[in-house]
């Protein structure tokens, strides 16, 4: 159009921006933004709304907010684009703050905005905020919406309240395949594979046909619980009995299931005979199994394949480092680090979240930014003696540094989940469960230590890491150390 010498108007720009949003083409979106300003189409409601949506969907939430704040008039569309952009780009706290601003501005939330805040609560593990939003859903009459009802179920499960998730699931009428799948996924994430399988069987009995996502949830549940034969049977049935084409997620779950069971070579053979081209996540599942079972030779071979496909993801380098460190092969650990530096790969920083008094607090490893830091560290030191008395021995291999054991122990005791737990124990009343959300996989030493802590303080401690839930109670974990 431009090459033909025609001048775009305020009706053309929104469609062009919508196309950029659909393609996630930020560069073209910025060029069109410059064009519309040059042609005097700024400050038009529909053009500005399209700009907000484009920037948000391209991951530039700050730019979307700049456009939003300059708009003289805002409809619901642009509010919804903004709140959806926040949650889908990982700005969960900002999502909740923006929703409050939306309500104070007398803008009535719609389905998308409510789905966004429920998703944000689940990401943060913010149960109390989630309960408030659930009540708001009921007050605004959205509780009969099946998508909203499913989001509520998912939110409760992600916040560690499986009982509430199950209750809401039982109360939901007209459950569709998405709702059933969410409940299967919830039990799977909590390590209750048998219950996940039972829910799947109930769904079939109810006449609801599973889809590809359902089987991903089911196979993942089998993997977390070590249900090898159940997993094999359902994997074979996906295409044979239900006519669903096998996807990469299904293979990834099956590789994970076989790998966790110690069948590493069978898992590798499954990858090699796949009709689909394996991606890094498929090989990553096998690399994780190599870490669990300490298979260095296969781990190195798998890591080489991963780095050929995607040399930028830090998690795979860390897994390989863990494999070497567990065998005290520090020279190889150092080589992996040098490889990361040479490729410009930065290790993802771990953090843990805990909700208290309607606020979500964030702790990093060795974090001393919290006003109660002195109390937190003193409390952890006080726990050290009774933990050792009960038999706790630090698993210093997880410190991943070739230094003295005493220094390793200090590093381990300052992991983010332990700081968050100490904060929770110091600030909540007895018998209150401690709920933690961690962005990375919980390390083996912390997993071991928290079992002892739960026994000493006589508290239930629930941690959701990037893979699953761990419920610690009276010295044991719900995962039965199968994770």
């Amino acid at each position: 159009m431009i090459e033909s010498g025609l001048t775009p108007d305020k009706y053309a720009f929104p469609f062009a921006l919508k196309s950029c949003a659909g393609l996630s083409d930020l560069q073209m979106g910025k060029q069109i933004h410059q064009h519309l300003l040059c042609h005097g189409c700024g400050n038009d409601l529909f053009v500005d709304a399209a700009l907000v949506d484009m920037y948000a969907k391209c991951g530039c939430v700050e730019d979307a907010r700049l456009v939003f704040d300059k708009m003289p008039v805002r409809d619901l569309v642009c509010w919804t684009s903004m709140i959806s952009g926040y949650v889908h780009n990982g700005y969960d706290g900002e999502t909740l703050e923006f929703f409050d601003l939306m309500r104070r501005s007398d803008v009535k939330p719609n389905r998308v905005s409510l789905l966004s805040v429920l998703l944000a609560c689940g990401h943060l593990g913010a149960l109390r905020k989630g309960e408030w939003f659930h009540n708001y859903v009921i007050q605004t009459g959205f509780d009969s919406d099946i998508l909203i009802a499913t989001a509520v179920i998912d939110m409760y499960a992600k916040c560690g309240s499986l009982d509430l998730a199950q209750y809401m699931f039982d109360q939901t009428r007209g459950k569709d395949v998405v709702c059933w799948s969410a409940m299967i996924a919830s039990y799977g994430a909590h390590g209750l594979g048998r219950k996940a399988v039972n829910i799947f069987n109930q769904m079939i009995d109810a006449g609801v046909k599973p889809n590809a996502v359902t089987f991903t949830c089911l196979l993942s549940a089998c993997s977390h619980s070590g249900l090898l034969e159940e997993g094999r049977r359902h994997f074979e049935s996906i295409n044979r009995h239900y006519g669903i084409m096998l996807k990469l997620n299904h293979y990834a779950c099956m590789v994970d299931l076989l790998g966790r069971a110690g069948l590493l070579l069978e898992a590798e053979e499954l990858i090699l005979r796949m009709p689909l081209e394996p991606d890094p996540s498929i090989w990553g599942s096998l690399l994780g199994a190599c870490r669990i079972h300490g298979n260095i030779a296969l781990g190195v071979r798998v890591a080489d394949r991963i780095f050929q496909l995607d040399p930028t993801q830090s998690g795979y380098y860390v897994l390989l480092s863990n494999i070497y460190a567990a065998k005290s092969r520090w020279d190889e650990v150092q080589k992996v680090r040098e490889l990361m530096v040479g490729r410009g790969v930065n290790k993802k920083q771990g953090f843990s979240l805990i909700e208290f008094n309607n606020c979500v607090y964030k702790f990093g490893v060795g974090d001393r930014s919290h006003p109660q830091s002195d109390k937190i560290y003193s409390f952890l030191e006080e726990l050290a003696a009774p933990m050792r008395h009960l038999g706790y021995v630090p698993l210093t291999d997880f410190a991943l540094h070739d230094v003295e054991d005493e220094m390793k122990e200090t590093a381990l005791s300052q992991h983010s989940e332990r700081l968050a737990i100490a904060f929770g124990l110091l600030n909540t009343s007895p018998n209150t469960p401690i709920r933690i959300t961690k962005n990375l996989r919980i390390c083996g030493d912390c997993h071991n230590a928290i079992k002892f802590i739960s026994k000493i303080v006589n508290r239930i401690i629930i941690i959701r890491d990037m893979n699953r839930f761990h419920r610690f109670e009276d010295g044991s974990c719900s995962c039965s150390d199968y994770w």
Side-chain angles (χ1 to χ4, degrees), residues 236-299:
E236 291 297 327
S237 73
I238 295 174
N239 184 257
R240 184 176 300 173
H241 297 301
Y242 294 97
I244 297 171
M245 294 297 294
L246 285 164
K247 297 187 176 180
L248 287 174
N249 284 342
H250 303 135
Y251 283 102
C253 290
M254 198 62 204
V255 168
D256 189 58
L257 176 57
L258 293 169
R260 288 176 187 272
L263 303 174
L264 301 181
L265 294 181
E266 184 179 342
E268 185 183 26
E269 290 171 3
L270 176 62
I271 297 175
L272 294 175
R273 68 171 189 266
M274 281 172 51
L276 305 171
E277 188 68 28
D279 67 358
S281 68
I282 300 282
W283 290 110
S285 296
L286 184 54
L287 184 61
C290 292
R291 181 200 56 79
I292 293 171
H293 298 286
N295 192 321
I296 292 180
L298 180 58

Side-chain angles (χ1 to χ4, degrees), residues 114-263:
L114 289 172
L115 288 172
S116 296
V117 294
L118 290 168
L119 186 60
C121 289
H123 288 166
L124 293 168
L127 179 61
R128 299 302 166 223
K129 284 186 176 292
E131 289 177 330
W132 187 93
F133 283 113
H134 181 199
N135 287 330
Y136 185 81
V137 163
I138 296 172
Q139 293 169 12
T140 52
F142 278 97
D143 52 319
S144 59
D145 185 305
I146 187 62
L147 274 181
I148 298 292
T150 301
V152 169
I153 292 166
D154 183 67
M155 178 274 293
Y156 279 128
K158 282 188 168 68
C159 289
S161 185
L162 196 54
D163 290 344
L164 280 174
Q166 179 66 62
Y167 175 79
M168 290 306 305
F169 178 78
D170 292 339
Q171 297 299 308
T172 300
R173 297 181 179 275
K175 292 185 275 284
D176 61 6
V177 65
V178 178
C179 188
W180 283 99
S181 299
M183 200 65 232
I184 293 168
S186 298
Y187 275 119
H190 284 262
L192 301 173
R194 290 290 178 193
K195 288 193 173 182
V197 172
N198 289 339
I199 292 291
F200 175 80
N201 292 333
Q202 291 175 29
M203 182 185 79
I204 300 301
D205 292 341
V208 178
K209 185 178 180 180
N211 61 17
V213 174
T214 309
F215 280 106
T216 299
C217 299
L218 182 62
L219 291 174
S220 177
C222 291
S223 178
H224 286 311
S225 300
L227 302 179
L228 181 60
E229 294 310 316
E230 287 273 8
R232 286 185 198 271
R233 182 166 60 83
H234 288 297
F235 180 77
E236 291 297 327
S237 73
I238 295 174
N239 184 257
R240 184 176 300 173
H241 297 301
Y242 294 97
I244 297 171
M245 294 297 294
L246 285 164
K247 297 187 176 180
L248 287 174
N249 284 342
H250 303 135
Y251 283 102
C253 290
M254 198 62 204
V255 168
D256 189 58
L257 176 57
L258 293 169
R260 288 176 187 272
L263 303 174

